[in-house]
Amino acid sequence: MLRALLTYWFMSFLEKLQRLTKDDLIVGGVISGTSQDSIVAAICRISQNTVSLIGYHEIDYSSKCKSLLNHCLKLSTQEISELNFLIGQEFSDCMVSAVQRFGFSPDLVGFHGQTVFHHSGISSVKSTLQLGVPEFVAEALDCFVVSDFRYRDIVLGGEGAPLSPWGDYRMFNLGYPFVVLNLGGVANFTYIDPTTHTILGFDAGPGNSLLDRTVRRFKLSELGYDKFGEIGKKGKVIDEILEFLLRVDDYFQVEPPKSCGFERFGDSFLDLVLSKFDIKDPVDFLRTVYEYTVIGITSGLKFIPDVEMIILAGGGCQNHFLVDLIKSKSLKKVKISDEFGIPWKARESILLAILAYDFIKGTPTNLPSVTGAKKAALLGRLIFP
């Protein structure tokens, strides 16, 4: 009886493994970005030369997860452990819902987890931590899962971020040089010249992180963020505070490779500013944070070759005021990634699917030109079904 069970398990495992040798695979990707607002799962059809999105599905974090994530830098060891498992379960729920919605069972899933710490260039030890137990997905879907994509790059002396430039290279089939600007909690750039296969990228600075925290700190919206930028655009820039913001941190002047997170541009940064100034009008302060954020983003353009157009992705695409400020200060044409067949909400989930596929195929996906790593390497860790 035992021999029969072992034989059945082994043959089933071999069948799953054999499927991964095909060029054309159905691959899932699931992630929650640095804004920590929701989880997005994508299902893609991927080959060595093509990436096509079948569909994507989004769910909100549970109230318990949101509460723990809002205080993740102050959690006890027990709370971090519990959050690790809660995130894994909720990522799995999102991925399973995507499979049920679109009717495609993945051969493989790329699982990012939730970033709760990234060294941001200010820690004495380069490190990064993503929470979420990927075995939940492996069990729920009975498939291989690839996770932990950032560690190898840091071991090799790299920043561990951003990961997106490789995905943008695979996703966007354009015949001319272009820039992708992701407006997540962190804003990051990808520059690609397909004619020379040049790929550059770096974190420019805060995207939505300081804006969202300002809205929550002053209770400016029950949503917890500035929908469409309607609040911020009513304010006026406070020059004295803007000058202080630009003096207090030199990140915008640091040359790439560089990466950052809410450890650098989060609550502690906001606390520092608020300890120095008496804020009479929170809306004016929010407008000042907008100005600071956009200066950081547009100053990043000096580190990449000039292009005529910027492709926007990430949640900040919905903030019309933020987008308008970027347009006016960059003097560039701006288009949303959806116009190129890549929904802004699904881009990072598609990236995770690409990273998982390329891991299985033995393709290095870190980019020393982006992260500063000593060499190109496979990124990820394989979880068996």
Side-chain angles (χ1 to χ4, degrees), residues 298-356:
T298 54
S299 67
L301 290 169
K302 66 177 175 282
F303 297 122
I304 53 180
D306 190 36
V307 294
E308 292 184 0
M309 179 185 65
I310 298 174
I311 301 171
L312 294 184
C317 290
Q318 298 179 99
N319 189 322
H320 305 320
F321 182 54
L322 179 61
V323 172
D324 287 343
L325 286 174
I326 292 169
K327 285 180 181 177
S328 64
K329 292 189 180 298
S330 68
L331 303 177
K332 305 289 184 187
K333 295 177 184 176
V334 171
K335 293 189 176 183
I336 307 300
S337 64
D338 297 57
E339 298 180 49
F340 300 88
I342 308 294
W344 63 261
K345 190 168 282 189
R347 170 178 164 269
E348 290 188 319
S349 299
I350 299 170
L351 161 68
L352 267 293
I354 292 169
L355 292 176

Side-chain angles (χ1 to χ4, degrees), residues 61-334:
Y61 270 123
S62 66
S63 57
K64 184 170 185 179
C65 261
K66 282 184 179 179
S67 177
L68 289 169
L69 283 168
N70 283 339
H71 304 92
C72 62
L73 294 180
K74 300 177 182 178
L75 298 182
S76 68
T77 303
Q78 177 181 339
E79 289 170 322
I80 292 170
S81 178
E82 291 173 356
L83 183 58
N84 190 33
F85 278 76
L86 287 170
I87 289 172
Q89 181 62 71
E90 295 189 19
F91 268 51
S92 177
D93 292 343
C94 186
M95 196 71 243
V96 168
S97 295
V99 169
Q100 293 171 344
R101 179 177 175 182
F102 299 107
F104 285 83
S105 295
D107 302 303
L108 177 70
V109 171
F111 181 105
H112 182 269
Q114 177 66 63
T115 297
V116 295
F117 180 83
H118 188 75
H119 62 86
S120 295
I122 55 176
S123 302
S124 58
V125 176
K126 275 189 182 180
S127 68
T128 189
L129 181 62
Q130 288 72 45
L131 294 185
V133 177
E135 283 82 356
F136 278 106
V137 175
E139 285 294 321
L141 295 178
D142 192 28
C143 69
F144 290 93
V145 178
V146 184
S147 64
D148 296 335
F149 292 97
R150 298 187 186 272
Y151 297 155
R152 178 63 65 89
D153 187 78
I154 289 180
V155 168
L156 289 169
E159 290 286 312
L163 296 175
S164 52
W166 176 258
D168 291 331
Y169 179 71
R170 294 271 268 127
M171 270 184 266
F172 291 93
N173 294 311
L174 306 180
Y176 48 85
F178 64 96
V179 165
V180 180
L181 170 59
N182 181 62
L183 294 173
V186 171
N188 48 59
F189 278 112
T190 296
Y191 168 83
I192 295 174
D193 184 346
T195 62
T196 61
H197 303 288
T198 300
I199 308 175
L200 305 173
F202 57 91
D203 289 344
N208 304 312
S209 60
L210 289 177
L211 298 171
D212 292 348
R213 281 168 168 76
T214 299
V215 170
R216 291 197 293 265
R217 183 71 64 94
F218 290 99
K219 297 181 173 58
L220 296 175
S221 170
E222 292 181 359
L223 295 172
Y225 64 93
D226 187 8
K227 187 175 183 180
F228 306 134
E230 292 295 326
I231 302 170
K233 73 178 183 181
K234 297 175 183 176
K236 297 179 181 179
V237 174
I238 305 170
D239 292 332
E240 184 183 5
I241 296 179
L242 179 61
E243 289 169 7
F244 175 81
L245 289 169
L246 293 170
R247 283 198 318 269
V248 76
D249 193 295
D250 66 350
Y251 185 82
F252 299 161
Q253 283 72 50
V254 175
E255 293 190 6
K258 59 180 180 175
S259 62
C260 64
F262 55 79
E263 303 77 16
R264 188 161 189 160
F265 297 110
D267 289 322
S268 59
F269 186 85
L270 206 55
D271 290 341
L272 173 64
V273 180
L274 296 179
S275 71
K276 302 291 184 182
F277 296 93
D278 179 24
I279 305 302
K280 295 181 173 58
D281 187 337
V283 175
D284 285 349
F285 180 69
L286 177 62
R287 176 64 182 85
T288 306
V289 174
Y290 267 101
E291 193 75 8
Y292 176 71
T293 297
V294 173
I295 287 172
I297 290 169
T298 54
S299 67
L301 290 169
K302 66 177 175 282
F303 297 122
I304 53 180
D306 190 36
V307 294
E308 292 184 0
M309 179 185 65
I310 298 174
I311 301 171
L312 294 184
C317 290
Q318 298 179 99
N319 189 322
H320 305 320
F321 182 54
L322 179 61
V323 172
D324 287 343
L325 286 174
I326 292 169
K327 285 180 181 177
S328 64
K329 292 189 180 298
S330 68
L331 303 177
K332 305 289 184 187
K333 295 177 184 176
V334 171

